[in-house]
Amino acid sequence: MTEPNLSDVLDRAVADKVVGPPRIDAIRSGAARIRRRRRAGVAGAVAAIVAVAGGTAFLAQGPAATQPPVAADPPAGPTRLVGIGQVAVAVPVTWGRNAVRCGGTPTKDTVVIDLRHLTFCMAPRPKDTESIELAGGNPKRFAFRSEEVVEIGGVRAERQRTTCAPGALNRVETCSGAVYFPTLGVIIHAQSSTDAATVDRMLGWVTVAPDRVGVPEPWYHEKQSASPSGTKYLEQLKALGLRPVVETKKASGQFAGDLLDVRPAPGTVLTPGAAVTVVVVG
Amino acid sequence: MTDDSDFTAYVAARWGALVRAAMLLGCSDPEAEDLVQTVLERCLVKWAKVRVAEDRDAYVHRILVNTFISSRRRRWSGERPVAVFPERATPDETAGVDMTDAVMRALERLGQDQRAAVVLRYYAHLTDEQAAAALGVAVGTVKSRLSRASKILAEDPGLAELRGAR
């Protein structure tokens, strides 16, 4: 095969391949991450992979991270913030909120927060469906295991590595990973029936925003205290810098002071000092 | 203008060709873009060195080939056992009419070194000297790899059919 002939054949073989636009921003972010990691290494610090866009740094407990670094890129296209306290996740605006059925199985890409009315049935998770659940309180409800230490927005967090397992009903492989903030008491649990890389990418959307406060989920207080659930929730809102406005409502069969509703909905990200209406039994 | 402002111009000019070169080296389409992104991240970190390199293209292609080879090694070490073997790939009977398919199959018959030499020399249009610099071998080694690769490709039945169809 002659040289001009071979060059022509190779050119034509890939000429019709669709190539996306140059990823200049991602390249710059990646290069910055490499530089910071090298600087950290030179300084004798632990290995760190810092994500520029999301303000996310990944600190390995050992000499090198065994898990792919948390991605730096926010999701493509328009996003909205969903959060609890100072922890927030930027998710595509097209995602649903609590678009789940049965025991929390997503029916489409969705954020899951403050799930209360679960039906105790089993539903197979559809393929190529992503979900991110935010929750306060004890991370053990997700069978969380702290396997690595990460730092996100300057806050120490713990990472459970991404693992995959086939679904019990339809054998669709679902991958899961999580980030837990012990000092903030918030866990982000990401699941994907696409692949493990998608879970890692979604966990890269997690940020810690000191100038924002996500309305916390109130319902885990219900079984934790002898005092009325509304009282505990009001204390939590104040501690986060939000301004609770109490409304009372009659409700038969419930104790005075117990929580009935929260507006805006848990997960809504507000500025510090914003009002949150808490409806309690009067 | 920032110190690496010419980097953006370089990426804009070479992104497509580098991604397609990665495809010819053996990457899947999405993998090729990821690989080139990684390559260019590494280049940007050393851009002060790359920009004054005697031959910038040879330098970048050297990182491309090395990153590709490393990615293949990682993939191998990451292989996971499966309970059921996946469907086995069989020769596509339409290979003669599908140009891309025929070329990729023909390239798969080459050794990794030969394939890299072919892609750098005949797709990236590096000179023998540039390809040698990119591959970290002598010019004579590049020529011998190209010679053997050309012989294999000339005898490839898929490509022969392609030539007959032209």
Side-chain angles (χ1 to χ4, degrees):
Chain A
M1 187 170 258
T2 63
E3 287 187 22
N5 193 0
L6 183 50
S7 288
D8 180 50
V9 164
L10 294 178
D11 278 339
R12 288 167 55 208
V14 289
D16 292 336
K17 293 281 190 182
V18 177
V19 177
R23 302 176 179 174
I24 190 69
D25 290 338
I27 291 167
R28 288 189 180 282
S29 296
R33 194 165 55 235
I34 293 169
R35 286 191 194 105
R36 291 183 193 197
R37 189 171 52 202
R38 286 182 181 172
R39 276 201 297 269
V42 169
V46 292
I49 298 168
V50 178
V52 173
T56 304
F58 196 86
L59 300 176
Q61 287 175 317
T66 54
Q67 187 73 9
V70 174
D73 296 329
T79 61
R80 70 175 193 273
L81 279 178
V82 181
I84 293 178
Q86 292 182 343
V87 179
V89 187
V91 300
V93 292
T94 53
W95 277 33
R97 182 180 189 278
N98 292 343
V100 300
R101 58 177 171 154
C102 290
T105 304
T107 55
K108 56 174 280 193
D109 294 346
T110 186
V111 168
V112 180
I113 183 169
D114 190 35
L115 269 186
R116 279 174 280 162
H117 306 296
L118 296 177
T119 306
F120 291 97
C121 59
M122 290 182 72
R125 186 185 184 102
K127 197 162 169 39
D128 301 328
T129 304
E130 334 302 354
S131 60
I132 296 178
E133 182 164 4
L134 297 86
N138 192 334
K140 288 184 178 170
R141 65 192 255 203
F142 294 99
F144 178 80
R145 298 183 310 279
S146 174
E147 294 173 315
E148 280 169 309
V149 175
V150 301
E151 187 179 300
I152 300 177
V155 177
R156 181 184 180 279
E158 296 170 358
R159 175 79 150 86
Q160 177 168 315
R161 291 176 191 155
T162 303
T163 55
C164 304
L169 295 179
N170 59 357
R171 310 301 294 169
V172 168
E173 189 175 65
T174 298
C175 302
S176 305
V179 171
Y180 173 56
F181 295 84
T183 56
L184 302 176
V186 178
I187 185 168
I188 310 292
H189 186 241
Q191 288 192 293
S192 168
S193 48
T194 302
D195 54 28
T198 301
V199 171
D200 294 331
R201 194 163 55 249
M202 290 192 293
L203 290 175
W205 302 346
V206 178
T207 62
V208 175
D211 58 343
R212 295 281 187 277
V213 186
V215 177
E217 45 158 14
W219 311 105
Y220 76 90
H221 285 300
E222 285 181 339
K223 300 264 170 69
Q224 292 186 341
S225 171
S227 62
S229 57
T231 306
K232 294 290 293 181
Y233 188 59
L234 293 176
E235 290 170 4
Q236 187 184 12
L237 290 178
K238 287 177 189 167
L240 290 173
L242 294 172
R243 182 167 55 86
V245 176
V246 180
E247 278 184 18
T248 56
K249 189 176 176 183
K250 298 288 183 193
S252 60
Q254 297 200 51
F255 296 105
D258 272 351
L259 196 61
L260 289 175
D261 197 12
V262 177
R263 299 192 300 267
T268 306
V269 175
L270 305 171
T271 53
V276 176
T277 301
V278 180
V279 184
V280 298
V281 178
Chain B
M1 186 176 270
T2 59
D3 286 340
D4 58 9
S5 56
D6 53 340
F7 176 78
T8 303
Y10 183 85
V11 173
R14 302 300 169 89
W15 172 261
L18 288 169
V19 170
R20 291 188 171 94
M23 292 172 182
L24 289 170
L25 285 173
C27 289
S28 65
D29 293 7
E31 187 187 11
E33 293 195 31
D34 290 345
L35 183 87
V36 173
Q37 179 182 328
T38 302
V39 167
L40 292 172
E41 285 171 4
R42 292 174 183 176
C43 288
L44 179 55
V45 170
K46 296 184 177 177
W47 190 243
K49 188 176 173 183
V50 178
R51 74 198 312 182
V52 298
E54 196 170 313
D55 194 319
R56 187 183 294 182
D57 281 337
Y59 193 105
V60 173
H61 281 91
R62 179 170 194 156
I63 297 178
L64 176 73
V65 171
N66 288 343
T67 307
F68 170 74
I69 292 170
S70 297
S71 73
R72 297 294 111 164
R73 287 181 186 141
R74 279 200 302 275
R75 172 178 291 190
W76 175 253
S77 65
E79 187 178 31
R80 292 189 298 175
V82 293
V84 180
F85 285 113
E87 287 182 34
R88 186 176 174 185
T90 54
D92 185 348
E93 298 302 325
T94 65
V97 295
D98 186 332
M99 173 141 205
T100 302
D101 191 50
V103 171
M104 293 301 182
R105 285 170 191 275
L107 290 174
E108 281 167 15
R109 296 181 64 204
L110 304 178
Q112 196 172 62
D113 292 342
Q114 293 170 341
R115 185 170 182 165
V118 165
V119 172
L120 296 186
R121 185 69 182 82
Y122 297 126
Y123 179 74
H125 302 292
L126 301 188
T127 63
D128 286 343
E129 290 74 19
Q130 287 175 312
L135 295 171
V137 297
V139 173
T141 306
V142 171
K143 287 181 176 175
S144 66
R145 286 177 186 174
L146 289 173
S147 173
R148 292 194 196 100
S150 296
K151 185 170 185 298
I152 293 169
L153 294 175
E155 294 170 356
D156 184 84
L159 290 185
E161 191 175 340
L162 204 64
R163 286 195 296 275
R166 289 181 68 187

